[in-house]
């Protein structure tokens, strides 16, 4: 089956189905991770999947990837049981994904990028980007790799304390120059996502420095 688009091009039914399954995959990652259902969460990954969360190493395979999620869980629990020392731990973590741009490379392979925002009972805690590769394993779309990058944190929030240590709670307010720089970076990433989704190579090339 082939479905016509507004621009006159034709999209095959398998590609529409692939995109919907990938969107469901990413939504399931958020829901299962936030609920601590790690066995079901890891079932979303290919057995040889990799994950990079920006801490200087790559996590290879399901056993190593599991430690990312259990480490986050243990960090929250540690904050909650520190005897009242320091800021309170969040009562929940809630991930929201937006601007999910998917490039389907074939019936069994695709890539994607999206923004994420993490909420706690204290409000917005941190935000950043996902860069993914997906592939079909035993008839189901799964993560082949996921790269996580945090673009910003709320000063004194849970992620800020975790990433920056005790100094985070006494950090000075973010200056306007940094706020403008972060806004420019978010706009750059958004333009990259849109150009990729539209397969506009000229626009993509224009986003990179010459060297």
């Amino acid at each position: 089956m082939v479905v016509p688009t507004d621009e006159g091009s034709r999209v095959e039914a398998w590609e529409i189905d692939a995109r919907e399954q990938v969107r469901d995959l990413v939504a399931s990652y958020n829901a299962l991770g936030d609920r601590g259902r790690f066995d079901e969460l890891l079932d979303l990954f290919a057995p040889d999947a990799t994950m990079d969360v920006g801490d200087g190493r790559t996590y290879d395979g399901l056993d190593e990837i599991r430690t990312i999620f259990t480490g986050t869980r243990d960090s929250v629990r540690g904050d909650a049981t520190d005897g009242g020392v320091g800021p309170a731990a969040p009562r929940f973590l809630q991930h929201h994904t937006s601007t999910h741009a998917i490039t389907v490379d074939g019936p069994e392979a695709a890539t994607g990028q999206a923004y994420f925002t993490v909420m706690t009972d204290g409000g917005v805690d941190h935000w950043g980007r996902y860069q993914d590769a997906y592939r079909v394993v035993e008839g189901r779309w799964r993560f082949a790799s996921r790269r996580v990058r945090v673009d910003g944190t709320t000063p004194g929030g849970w992620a800020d304390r975790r990433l920056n240590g005790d100094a985070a709670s006494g950090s000075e307010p973010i200056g306007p120059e940094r706020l403008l720089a972060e806004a420019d970076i978010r706009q750059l990433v958004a333009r990259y996502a849109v150009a990729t989704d539209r397969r506009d190579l000229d626009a993509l090339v224009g986003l990179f420095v010459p060297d």
Side-chain angles (χ1 to χ4, degrees):
M1 178 180 177
V2 177
V3 180
T5 68
D6 292 339
E7 298 178 353
S9 59
R10 297 160 73 84
V11 179
E12 295 188 24
W14 67 261
E15 181 175 346
I16 296 174
D17 181 62
R19 290 178 178 275
E20 288 305 308
Q21 289 195 51
V22 168
R23 289 190 181 97
D24 184 67
L25 175 73
V26 171
S28 296
Y29 173 97
N30 290 347
L32 294 172
D34 289 343
R35 290 163 175 77
R37 294 160 59 177
F38 298 147
D39 289 338
E40 294 169 79
L41 175 60
L42 289 167
D43 194 44
L44 303 178
F45 288 82
D48 59 348
T50 62
M51 196 161 173
D52 173 1
V53 295
D55 61 355
R57 60 167 292 189
T58 299
Y59 296 80
D60 296 304
L62 300 183
D63 288 342
E64 290 191 9
I65 291 174
R66 179 185 291 273
T67 65
I68 297 172
F69 305 114
T70 56
T72 298
R73 176 199 62 197
D74 295 344
S75 175
V76 172
R77 289 178 176 175
D79 284 350
T81 59
D82 66 357
V85 178
R91 290 186 294 172
F92 62 83
L93 297 177
Q94 191 179 83
H95 290 68
H96 298 264
T97 303
S98 62
T99 320
H100 188 193
I102 302 169
T103 300
V104 178
D105 300 317
E108 296 190 346
T111 56
Q113 47 270 321
Y115 295 130
F116 69 83
T117 302
V118 178
M119 307 288 293
T120 71
D121 50 304
V124 174
D125 187 78
H126 62 284
W127 54 93
R129 293 159 285 145
Y130 293 132
Q131 294 175 314
D132 301 330
Y134 320 104
R135 77 167 188 265
V136 175
V137 178
E138 296 180 353
R140 291 175 46 212
W141 283 92
R142 304 190 190 190
F143 290 100
S145 66
R146 166 155 277 198
R147 183 174 184 264
V148 184
R149 287 297 178 268
V150 175
D151 290 329
T153 61
T154 296
W158 173 77
D160 194 40
R161 300 194 307 271
R162 190 180 186 208
L163 294 173
N164 300 316
D166 294 336
S169 59
S171 59
E172 297 181 359
I174 298 175
E177 295 83 2
R178 177 176 169 182
L179 290 174
L180 287 172
E182 290 182 352
D184 287 342
I185 291 171
R186 287 194 289 272
Q187 183 180 46
L188 176 66
V189 174
R191 290 167 60 192
Y192 177 91
V194 171
T196 300
D197 199 38
R198 294 176 178 174
R199 301 178 184 178
D200 187 340
L201 296 181
D202 290 336
L204 276 173
V205 171
L207 300 176
F208 290 84
V209 296
D211 57 350

